[in-house]
């Protein structure tokens, strides 16, 4: 008999892998209202302690939550419960009508479009500054 490596299960064995258990536990906390949109998700260290899991396992769980739209990352701040409809037709903490934040996808798209317009304006301003510096800098940079 070949011994399985510790913590490994065969795919398709019907037994969920640890990262799947972690992800499902966090999804259930979101569904039940224990974690609400905008709330910080537990840190990687906290999840490692809670589940006795390795760093990579927790990272895979978080990647799964993000991929499925349950969580978002904010660089330098951590991972947070996503502000959106719950995926897979699941009801949120107060039923289906309460799962969508005000404005939903349309509001997010509009916010992204505003941010993009602001970024484009900043780029245009920087280009104008560069042109002024190059023209008034005695020909340097050309």
């Amino acid at each position: 008999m070949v011994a399985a490596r510790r913590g490994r299960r065969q795919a398709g064995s019907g037994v969920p892998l640890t990262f799947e258990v972690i992800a499902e536990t966090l999804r259930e906390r979101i569904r039940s209202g224990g974690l609400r949109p905008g709330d910080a998700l537990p840190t990687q260290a906290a999840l490692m302690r809670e589940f006795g899991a390795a760093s990579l396992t927790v990272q895979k769980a978080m990647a799964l939550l993000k991929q499925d739209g349950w969580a978002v990352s904010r660089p330098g701040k951590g991972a947070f419960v996503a502000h959106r409809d719950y995926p897979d037709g699941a009801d949120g903490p107060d039923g289906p009508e309460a799962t969508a934040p005000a404005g939903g996808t349309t509001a997010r798209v509009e916010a992204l479009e505003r941010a993009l317009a602001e970024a484009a304006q900043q780029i245009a301003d920087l280009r104008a500054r560069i042109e002024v510096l190059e023209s008034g800098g005695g020909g340097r940079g050309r």
Side-chain angles (χ1 to χ4, degrees):
M1 179 175 168
V2 176
R5 288 178 54 188
R6 184 174 166 260
R8 304 262 180 184
R9 293 181 195 92
Q10 282 187 315
S13 68
V15 177
L17 299 172
T18 305
F19 80 93
E20 294 169 321
V21 171
I22 295 169
E24 183 54 33
T25 300
L26 292 172
R27 280 192 291 266
E28 186 52 40
R29 289 178 190 170
I30 295 167
R31 282 188 208 104
S32 70
L35 289 168
R36 302 196 57 80
D39 285 353
L41 289 169
T43 64
Q44 180 173 320
L47 292 171
M48 288 170 64
R49 281 190 304 273
E50 180 179 347
F51 292 94
S55 174
L56 184 59
T57 301
V58 172
Q59 289 173 20
K60 287 173 71 174
M62 295 307 292
L64 182 60
L65 289 173
K66 292 171 192 170
Q67 172 187 321
D68 292 344
W70 289 87
V72 294
S73 287
R74 295 185 190 148
K77 303 236 186 247
F80 296 82
V81 177
H83 285 277
R84 65 177 302 254
D85 294 336
Y86 289 90
D88 306 323
D91 291 346
D94 300 314
E97 65 282 347
T99 60
T105 303
T106 302
R108 285 193 309 276
V109 168
E110 289 171 354
L112 288 171
E113 288 174 341
R114 282 191 303 273
L116 180 60
E118 289 173 16
Q121 183 61 50
Q122 289 173 346
I123 290 170
D125 292 345
L126 289 171
R127 284 186 176 147
R129 283 180 173 173
I130 290 170
E131 288 178 13
V132 167
L133 290 172
E134 287 178 342
S135 65
R140 285 185 291 182
R142 286 191 169 183

